Amino acid sequence: QVQLVESGGGLVQAGGSLRLSCAASGRTFRSYNMGWFRQAPGKEREFVAGISWSGGITYYADSVKGRFTISRDNAKNTVYLQMNRLKSEDTAVYYCAIDRSAIDRARSKIDEYDYWGQGTQVTVSS
């Protein structure tokens, strides 16, 4: 069983930045595609960004494109989400997730992911 632990959330003013981290247990992290999702109060969980296991393919939701960057360090079993120019509408619980597909790709649908972390709260004040 793979475990994911997110960190780096917090309270930030609009226009500020945060970097989220997601540490994964296990020795097969480098073979997993990874994703970040978020869920705001009263809303459904939505895709934010995805990265293929090689790191060569990334994909972003339109709402964060140009502001957020997903990256990974396979030596550290960690995936990151750098969030810049934050807006109040970015306020949500952010989750990382694993897609065990053997295909090197970045996926955007919730049901394509197999394991989830517990989430980290990001609050952006206006």
Side-chain angles (χ1 to χ4, degrees):
Q1 184 84 9
V2 178
Q3 291 188 326
L4 300 171
V5 179
E6 300 98 335
S7 61
L11 174 64
V12 64
Q13 288 188 333
S17 299
L18 282 175
R19 189 176 81 155
L20 306 183
S21 299
C22 173
S25 63
R27 292 177 290 179
T28 54
F29 173 81
R30 62 181 67 249
S31 65
Y32 297 146
N33 302 315
M34 300 294 295
W36 284 98
F37 291 76
R38 67 187 181 187
Q39 188 166 16
K43 296 188 177 180
E44 294 186 351
R45 193 169 298 190
E46 64 177 5
F47 171 75
V48 175
I51 187 166
S52 64
W53 59 258
S54 72
I57 302 170
T58 57
Y59 183 62
Y60 297 92
D62 287 343
S63 59
V64 306
K65 200 172 295 182
R67 299 188 298 123
F68 291 9
T69 303
I70 188 171
S71 62
R72 67 189 296 157
D73 185 339
N74 287 342
K76 296 182 178 180
N77 280 14
T78 302
V79 62
Y80 304 97
L81 185 68
Q82 178 66 44
M83 305 185 295
N84 298 328
R85 291 184 282 135
L86 283 160
K87 305 175 182 180
S88 57
E89 51 262 46
D90 295 319
T91 295
V93 177
Y94 283 71
Y95 300 89
C96 66
I98 284 176
D99 157 32
R100 295 183 298 170
S101 168
I103 300 174
D104 187 42
R105 61 185 176 186
R107 309 176 86 172
S108 62
K109 297 181 180 179
I110 290 175
D111 59 7
E112 293 172 328
Y113 286 81
D114 305 292
Y115 297 110
W116 294 81
Q118 294 300 306
T120 185
Q121 176 71 46
V122 171
T123 303
V124 183
S125 63
S126 57

